Amino acid sequence: MAEAYIVEAVRTAGGRRGGRLAGWHPSDMAGAVLNAIVDRTGMDPAAVEDVIMGCVSQGGEQSFQIGRNAVLSSKLPESVPAVTIDRQCGSSQQAIQFAAQAVMSGTQDVVIAAGVESMTRVPMGSTGMLFREAGLGRAKSPRQHERYPDIEFSQFMGAEMIAKKHGFDREQLDAYALESHRRAAAATTRGDFRDEIVGLEIETPEGMIIHDRDEGIRADSTMESIGAVKLLKEGGVISAANASQICDGASAVLVVSERALKEHGLTPLARVHNLTVTAGDPVIMLEEPLFATDKALKRAGMRIDEIDLYEVNEAFASVPLAWMKHVGADPAKLNVNGGAIALGHPLGASGTKLMATLVHALHKRGLRYGLQTMCEGGGIANVTIVERL
């Protein structure tokens, strides 16, 4: 089977809700990372055969096929097609896997996987809420209700259930959250994000500036400040401080074939080594990365200690902690530059965002294998293993 290569991987710096990226229309923000892929590689934009765009809240400014709208907001020609996909938080990680599958099958040679989410302009849950308020129904069907009677599919409850099942208390979750902020702050100070971030112009009272620094990092966080944040559920362990931040952002990854490398004079950053997606319990919901990783490692013929870096999305601190305990992972290799608790989780953009961070971290540290996994609504998880080149 043909190989799939990652040539470039970029992201915007995260913007807090109502923060620095609030003035950017999501189509324009997504168009900016598509432009960055073309500019950084120097390739002919007409050579792109498809754009696969992850986006979760596909309403309002993110409706009417935002993948196509992003192309029309970019320097890519009208001849470049696009599609928008929703695998919840793993949407753009699935975009990478679809792009790699297209290349590995030989049906396409140059595909951009990308993602976008403006959680300021299209708030999380707003699409379902607006339809319910208009009397147009809700997602859970009568037959689903028969199968799961009186059960609410809730990521917040799932995070609580994972913490309880795997034996994590609030102090452990808060300590993990604090470490995420510390690592993200240290990575920013070192300039580790410089190669992956696409700066965006924003208007401020002082004039036009470039937004190129993640807005959500709290370098001054302490256990006391994190512990003072109200719990989401009385008697629970999850708070907004040990969960991912609402975030605006976009990201993109260029996936190509070996033929395209030669034809366009491109230099690969990484080779796609394994693609896995699994599904399990939709109630506990966010635990599936544990079992998806088991399957991915088995299919790849690898052990967890052979993987040099892991990016496990920090939807809630209980998820990476449970993942690490289950697979026997080294905490020193996990989210080495911080994660979504500090950097933000722009839903549909997080998959390609994490891949940008993972690939560049492998290069900066001179390491070989990286594994990325993401918990997703409905009890699904993607795992992608890459090899630095």
Side-chain angles (χ1 to χ4, degrees), residues 173-200:
L173 302 188
D174 287 353
Y176 181 90
L178 177 61
E179 183 63 16
S180 182
H181 284 284
R182 286 176 173 169
R183 291 187 181 194
T188 300
T189 299
R190 290 192 304 265
D192 285 0
F193 296 133
R194 192 174 297 122
D195 291 343
E196 67 198 61
I197 286 180
V198 176
L200 298 182

Side-chain angles (χ1 to χ4, degrees), residues 377-388:
I380 303 173
N382 285 74
V383 179
T384 312
I385 300 174
V386 297
E387 179 185 11
R388 177 187 66 87

